Every structure is written in C-alpha cells, then in structure tokens.
Amino acid sequence: MSEKRNIERSIQEYVPGKQVTLAHLIPHANQEVFEKLGLEHTGDAIGILTITPSEASIIGADIAKKSGNVSIGFMDRFSGAVVIIGEVSSVEFALKQVINSLATILDFDVAEITRT
C-alpha cells in the first residue's frame, strides 16, 4: 500500500502596484542626447516616465500629448517607459498633468518630478 503524502503547493504571482516610479525632466538637453536616443530635436527638453502596470504608459502618453505642445519620443507598453519631448515649459506641464491625472483619476502612487 502506498503512503499518501501531504504536499503543499503555492503559486506566486507578480502583481505590480499602480505607480509612477520615475518622472524626470531634462531641460535644455544636449543635441547629442537626442541623437543617441534616436529622437528628433523638436524642442530642448526631454521628459521621462516609468509607469507600472506597463500598459498604463499608453494612458500616460495620451495625457501628455493632450496637455499641450509635446511629442511622444518613445513609448513602450511592455516596460512602461514614456519619453516626451518639446519646449521646457510644455514638457514640465505634461509631466505634471500625467502625475496629477494618474494620482487623482486612477489612484496611482506617484513620484515627485525630478530635474537635472
């Protein structure tokens, strides 16, 4: 007669929080930075966001674009990265709009906007 073993099994899942982990403004970015990123130099500022869950980067990019005169330089719905470009004041305003909208509408935890 075989002996019954009591085996416990557990399943672990990665469940990211709703958060903006990075919001950064690079004002007056050097032309070479634009070139190395493969971006057109359509302004003089770069805004960088990292958003989880990564699909929310689509929402963030949409909010940024609707906030004013900025362009989406890059968006990756798999990593949650969003890069926006334009004039300093426009990019800064777009970053603020994304942060505020995600926090108030979708209850995201958000990072402060940093600047170099």
Short mmCIF file of all heavy atoms in Angstrom, two decimals, residues 2 12 20 22-23 35 40-41 49 52-53 63 68 76-77 82 86 89 94-95 100-102 104 116:
data_model
loop_
_atom_site.label_atom_id
_atom_site.label_comp_id
_atom_site.label_asym_id
_atom_site.label_seq_id
_atom_site.Cartn_x
_atom_site.Cartn_y
_atom_site.Cartn_z
N SER A 2 0.59 2.13 -0.89
CA SER A 2 1.41 3.34 -0.97
C SER A 2 0.99 4.34 0.10
O SER A 2 -0.16 4.43 0.46
CB SER A 2 1.33 3.97 -2.36
OG SER A 2 0.04 4.46 -2.56
N GLN A 12 2.99 31.72 -6.94
CA GLN A 12 3.36 33.11 -6.71
C GLN A 12 3.16 33.88 -8.00
O GLN A 12 3.51 33.42 -9.08
CB GLN A 12 4.83 33.21 -6.29
CG GLN A 12 5.08 32.59 -4.94
CD GLN A 12 6.53 32.74 -4.53
OE1 GLN A 12 7.39 33.00 -5.35
NE2 GLN A 12 6.78 32.60 -3.24
N VAL A 20 3.83 55.49 -10.55
CA VAL A 20 4.81 56.13 -11.41
C VAL A 20 6.10 56.12 -10.60
O VAL A 20 6.19 56.77 -9.55
CB VAL A 20 4.40 57.58 -11.78
CG1 VAL A 20 5.48 58.24 -12.61
CG2 VAL A 20 3.07 57.59 -12.51
N LEU A 22 9.24 56.83 -11.79
CA LEU A 22 10.20 57.85 -12.22
C LEU A 22 9.47 58.89 -13.04
O LEU A 22 8.71 58.56 -13.95
CB LEU A 22 11.32 57.23 -13.06
CG LEU A 22 12.33 58.19 -13.68
CD1 LEU A 22 13.23 58.77 -12.59
CD2 LEU A 22 13.17 57.50 -14.72
N ALA A 23 9.71 60.14 -12.72
CA ALA A 23 9.21 61.27 -13.51
C ALA A 23 10.34 62.30 -13.50
O ALA A 23 10.63 62.88 -12.46
CB ALA A 23 7.94 61.84 -12.90
N GLU A 35 20.13 62.70 -30.31
CA GLU A 35 20.62 61.83 -31.37
C GLU A 35 20.83 60.40 -30.88
O GLU A 35 20.43 59.44 -31.56
CB GLU A 35 21.93 62.38 -31.93
CG GLU A 35 21.77 63.66 -32.72
CD GLU A 35 23.09 64.31 -33.09
OE1 GLU A 35 24.16 63.71 -32.85
OE2 GLU A 35 23.05 65.45 -33.61
N GLU A 40 14.05 63.12 -32.75
CA GLU A 40 14.18 64.39 -33.46
C GLU A 40 14.34 65.50 -32.43
O GLU A 40 13.73 65.46 -31.37
CB GLU A 40 12.93 64.67 -34.30
CG GLU A 40 12.83 63.83 -35.55
CD GLU A 40 11.65 64.28 -36.40
OE1 GLU A 40 11.36 65.50 -36.45
OE2 GLU A 40 11.02 63.41 -37.00
N HIS A 41 15.12 66.46 -32.75
CA HIS A 41 15.33 67.58 -31.83
C HIS A 41 14.23 68.61 -32.10
O HIS A 41 14.44 69.62 -32.74
CB HIS A 41 16.71 68.18 -32.05
CG HIS A 41 17.12 69.11 -30.95
ND1 HIS A 41 18.41 69.51 -30.79
CD2 HIS A 41 16.44 69.71 -29.95
CE1 HIS A 41 18.49 70.32 -29.76
NE2 HIS A 41 17.30 70.46 -29.24
N LEU A 49 9.24 59.10 -18.04
CA LEU A 49 8.32 58.48 -17.08
C LEU A 49 8.50 56.97 -17.11
O LEU A 49 8.70 56.39 -18.18
CB LEU A 49 6.87 58.79 -17.43
CG LEU A 49 6.41 60.24 -17.35
CD1 LEU A 49 5.19 60.46 -18.22
CD2 LEU A 49 6.11 60.58 -15.90
N THR A 52 3.97 51.70 -13.88
CA THR A 52 3.50 50.32 -13.74
C THR A 52 2.06 50.35 -13.26
O THR A 52 1.71 51.22 -12.47
CB THR A 52 4.34 49.50 -12.73
OG1 THR A 52 4.32 50.15 -11.47
CG2 THR A 52 5.75 49.30 -13.19
N PRO A 53 1.20 49.46 -13.75
CA PRO A 53 1.50 48.45 -14.74
C PRO A 53 1.87 49.10 -16.07
O PRO A 53 1.42 50.21 -16.38
CB PRO A 53 0.22 47.64 -14.85
CG PRO A 53 -0.86 48.52 -14.32
CD PRO A 53 -0.22 49.46 -13.35
N ILE A 63 -2.30 61.35 -22.02
CA ILE A 63 -2.47 62.54 -21.19
C ILE A 63 -1.41 63.59 -21.53
O ILE A 63 -1.71 64.77 -21.66
CB ILE A 63 -2.40 62.17 -19.69
CG1 ILE A 63 -3.61 61.31 -19.30
CG2 ILE A 63 -2.33 63.42 -18.82
CD1 ILE A 63 -3.47 60.63 -17.95
N GLY A 68 -0.71 69.56 -24.20
CA GLY A 68 -0.17 70.71 -24.90
C GLY A 68 0.78 70.33 -26.02
O GLY A 68 0.69 69.24 -26.58
N ASP A 76 6.75 52.51 -24.52
CA ASP A 76 6.85 51.06 -24.54
C ASP A 76 5.84 50.48 -23.56
O ASP A 76 6.01 50.60 -22.35
CB ASP A 76 8.27 50.62 -24.17
CG ASP A 76 8.47 49.12 -24.27
OD1 ASP A 76 7.52 48.40 -24.64
OD2 ASP A 76 9.59 48.66 -23.97
N ARG A 77 4.82 49.86 -24.09
CA ARG A 77 3.76 49.32 -23.23
C ARG A 77 4.20 48.05 -22.51
O ARG A 77 3.48 47.53 -21.68
CB ARG A 77 2.49 49.06 -24.03
CG ARG A 77 2.64 47.99 -25.08
CD ARG A 77 1.35 47.88 -25.90
NE ARG A 77 1.51 46.97 -27.00
CZ ARG A 77 1.09 45.72 -26.99
NH1 ARG A 77 0.49 45.24 -25.93
NH2 ARG A 77 1.27 44.95 -28.04
N VAL A 82 7.95 56.00 -20.96
CA VAL A 82 7.42 57.04 -21.84
C VAL A 82 8.45 58.17 -21.88
O VAL A 82 8.93 58.60 -20.84
CB VAL A 82 6.07 57.60 -21.33
CG1 VAL A 82 5.57 58.72 -22.23
CG2 VAL A 82 5.03 56.51 -21.20
N GLY A 86 9.85 68.35 -26.17
CA GLY A 86 9.27 69.64 -26.53
C GLY A 86 10.00 70.74 -25.82
O GLY A 86 11.12 70.56 -25.32
N SER A 89 8.89 74.32 -20.78
CA SER A 89 7.64 74.57 -20.05
C SER A 89 6.55 73.58 -20.46
O SER A 89 5.76 73.14 -19.62
CB SER A 89 7.17 76.01 -20.26
OG SER A 89 6.95 76.27 -21.63
N ALA A 94 3.39 68.83 -19.08
CA ALA A 94 2.90 67.49 -19.45
C ALA A 94 3.22 66.48 -18.35
O ALA A 94 2.36 65.66 -18.00
CB ALA A 94 3.51 67.06 -20.78
N LEU A 95 4.42 66.52 -17.79
CA LEU A 95 4.78 65.62 -16.71
C LEU A 95 3.85 65.82 -15.51
O LEU A 95 3.36 64.85 -14.92
CB LEU A 95 6.23 65.84 -16.28
CG LEU A 95 7.32 65.36 -17.23
CD1 LEU A 95 8.69 65.81 -16.74
CD2 LEU A 95 7.28 63.86 -17.42
N ASN A 100 -0.50 64.13 -11.97
CA ASN A 100 -1.75 64.51 -11.29
C ASN A 100 -2.93 63.66 -11.74
O ASN A 100 -3.75 63.24 -10.93
CB ASN A 100 -2.05 65.99 -11.50
CG ASN A 100 -1.07 66.88 -10.78
OD1 ASN A 100 -0.46 66.49 -9.79
ND2 ASN A 100 -0.89 68.09 -11.28
N SER A 101 -3.02 63.41 -13.04
CA SER A 101 -4.15 62.63 -13.56
C SER A 101 -4.10 61.19 -13.08
O SER A 101 -5.12 60.63 -12.66
CB SER A 101 -4.16 62.67 -15.09
OG SER A 101 -4.39 63.99 -15.54
N LEU A 102 -2.94 60.56 -13.15
CA LEU A 102 -2.83 59.18 -12.71
C LEU A 102 -3.11 59.06 -11.21
O LEU A 102 -3.72 58.10 -10.76
CB LEU A 102 -1.47 58.59 -13.06
CG LEU A 102 -1.20 58.36 -14.55
CD1 LEU A 102 0.22 57.83 -14.77
CD2 LEU A 102 -2.22 57.42 -15.17
N THR A 104 -5.02 61.20 -9.30
CA THR A 104 -6.40 61.53 -8.91
C THR A 104 -7.44 60.65 -9.59
O THR A 104 -8.41 60.25 -8.94
CB THR A 104 -6.72 63.01 -9.20
OG1 THR A 104 -6.51 63.28 -10.58
CG2 THR A 104 -5.87 63.93 -8.37
N THR A 116 17.25 67.64 -13.82
CA THR A 116 18.71 67.80 -13.86
C THR A 116 19.09 68.88 -14.85
O THR A 116 18.33 69.23 -15.72
CB THR A 116 19.43 66.51 -14.28
OG1 THR A 116 18.88 66.01 -15.50
CG2 THR A 116 19.33 65.47 -13.20
#
